[in-house]
Amino acid sequence: MADTLRHLLELALDPAAAPAAIAGAPLPHSMRAAVVRRADAEMFRDRPSEEKDPRESLHVEEVPIPPLGPNEVLIAPMASALNFNTVWTSIFEPVPTHRFLERFAAESAAGARHDLDHHVVGSDAAGVVVRVGPGVTRWRPGDRVTVHCNYVDVEGPHGHDDSMIDDRQRIWGFETNFGALAELSMVKANQLMPMPTHLSWEEAACLSLTLATSYRMLVGRNAARMKQGDIVLVWGATGGLGGFAVQLVRNGGGIPVCVVSSEEKVALLRSLGVDLVIDRAAEGYEFWADGEQQPSEWRRFGSRIRELTGGEDPDIVFEHPGRQTFGASVFVVRRGGTVVTCASTSGYMHSYDNRYLWMNLKRVVGSHFANYREAWEANRLVDRGMIHPILTRTYALDAVADAAWAMHTNAHTGKLGVLVNASEEGQGVRDPDKRARFSDDLRAWSRLR
Ligand SMILES: NC(=O)c1ccc[n+]([C@@H]2O[C@H](COP(=O)([O-])OP(=O)(O)OC[C@H]3O[C@@H](n4cnc5c(N)ncnc54)[C@H](OP(=O)(O)O)[C@@H]3O)[C@@H](O)[C@H]2O)c1
């Protein structure tokens, strides 16, 4: 780390330092960041998706410091986390993300700053504010923050009920440049939230993207709106989205039916008090095989769910695997129930039997990340110890491509953290007494290894 950056961080993390002193400390001329390069966009053209390797395309290198504009904030991420969008960016699927930056540039001069040959990725961070731009009134240098990834101005009319509906809404560090996997990162002031005081940097950094997405899908007023007693089928129940979905369902008085793919994951969920678990690998489901849906497999799966629930079908299916599971999800959800979907990991061209949807008055609801309020409410649940991080492993910034490969090959569980400016795990906790009160839960969820 350069001396200028070290000095800036020492000052920003000193609770006695005045915001003006932090704002006056010099910035370094460049920074280390995880990037994909525009010139590499075609490098995997002839390979199947599963062989496209982020370790060849995701580089940690020295890049210029992002320029700060109105209502923007420069933060120093102490830690970040890996999300699947960084896997998509680094395998250039479904499109190279430089296309998003080019589209942003065509929109405005502010957007044009983002269209560079390198794309700094990363959509989750916990860190400290080091500069605020003109017009920022709620945040000051020295504030310790977590960052959600909904990047939007709401200058147009459509986003005023729900900023996710705004036609210029973007995901920070995926559809914008200057993401979280860098020594300094540029965000909008309306992305900031107070960092939970009992968590370390890496624990706080692994929350927002997947937790707030799950919160909107299940709890917020914009998607499935789970109620007490609802049976919720959760695909990938120890993954980034699923691990938070299970906690939200239990907090809200719902009944999770969890699907995972190994004995270890089943045992882990059982140890957390989750009884209704299906091991999709051991039970050998093939809902979509040889390019075709397999309705007999949907029926076998539906029977298994009824066996676990005492004959009931799920009120809600929490869907993200996509093509391989979507037909089964539509089939098993109860009459009048909701399939809520935010992704298509196994392929985005879905097919399902529409007769089951219309005749049984089922709904499919699309959901995407979360608006500021939903992200804030999810962050508040963490701060109150009602939701816990599911961090299973932490990587150094230099090894971020290894983390992306682990996620791409489904070799991970829970969330993967990345230390950016923090020198080791465990730093950043401000309220050890509060942490002690939640220590059993924190240990239980971080056992997701
Ligand atoms: N729209 C949004 O705002 C948003 C936000 C977050 C994530 N996403 C997307 O959601 C997807 C999941 O993200 P994540 O962070 O939860 O990833 P993750 O940590 O990899 O977890 C996903 C889990 O899904 C299960 N899974 C994977 N492929 C499957 C398949 N073919 N059939 C059944 N289960 C499968 C796996 O669990 P088992 O192997 O144990 O079953 C895996 O652990 C990604 O595509 C991501 O891009 C979208």
Side-chain angles (χ1 to χ4, degrees), residues 82-86 88 149 164 171 209-211 213-214 217 235-243 259-262 265 278 280-281 287 318-325 341-346 367-370 406-408 410 412-415:
L82 200 81
N83 283 294
F84 224 101
N85 63 6
T86 291
W88 298 125
C149 62
M164 287 304 297
I171 298 296
L209 189 147
T210 51
L211 169 59
T213 303
S214 299
M217 289 172 78
W235 291 105
T238 60
L241 290 169
V259 188
V260 289
S261 67
S262 71
K265 291 177 181 179
I278 296 173
R280 68 180 172 98
F287 306 113
F318 183 86
E319 185 30 85
H320 50 87
R323 183 163 60 188
Q324 291 183 2
T325 56
T341 174
C342 74
S344 291
T345 313
S346 65
S367 191
H368 184 41
F369 187 57
M407 186 169 270
H408 186 30
N410 198 18
H412 70 303
T413 310
K415 295 294 304 175

Side-chain angles (χ1 to χ4, degrees), residues 141-201:
D143 285 343
R144 295 185 183 205
V145 293
T146 49
V147 184
H148 74 75
C149 62
N150 179 9
Y151 185 97
V152 64
D153 287 326
V154 200
E155 192 181 330
H158 304 300
H160 278 265
D161 290 333
D162 172 11
S163 61
M164 287 304 297
I165 303 296
D166 193 282
D167 53 4
R168 293 189 173 183
Q169 184 279 330
R170 294 182 158 82
I171 298 296
W172 164 62
F174 179 61
E175 294 168 290
T176 79
N177 213 323
F178 316 127
L181 288 161
E183 288 172 334
L184 293 168
S185 175
M186 193 181 81
V187 302
K188 288 187 181 290
N190 64 8
Q191 286 177 256
L192 298 182
M193 306 182 292
M195 176 177 158
T197 50
H198 61 300
L199 297 183
S200 64
W201 296 115

Side-chain angles (χ1 to χ4, degrees), residues 23-88:
L27 294 175
H29 295 297
S30 64
M31 62 178 191
R32 288 170 66 251
V35 304
V36 294
R37 299 172 185 146
R38 195 194 311 261
D40 288 346
E42 296 295 319
M43 68 187 286
F44 297 136
R45 193 174 32 189
D46 299 325
R47 286 194 219 173
S49 290
E50 59 277 15
E51 289 174 20
K52 296 178 181 176
D53 190 339
R55 294 170 297 183
E56 295 172 49
S57 55
L58 191 57
H59 308 280
V60 175
E61 60 189 33
E62 205 70 25
V63 297
I65 305 294
L68 196 62
N71 300 316
E72 291 174 345
V73 173
L74 199 63
I75 62 158
M78 301 304 291
S80 178
L82 200 81
N83 283 294
F84 224 101
N85 63 6
T86 291
V87 176
W88 298 125

Side-chain angles (χ1 to χ4, degrees), residues 109-126:
R113 296 172 302 163
H114 292 249
D115 188 14
L116 303 171
D117 286 338
H118 63 272
H119 182 184
V120 180
V121 294
S123 303
D124 259 325

Side-chain angles (χ1 to χ4, degrees), residues 45 171 220 226-227 355 395 431 443:
R45 193 174 32 189
I171 298 296
M226 188 198 79
K227 61 179 187 344
R355 292 169 298 176
Y395 292 75
D431 190 340
R443 259 197 300 275

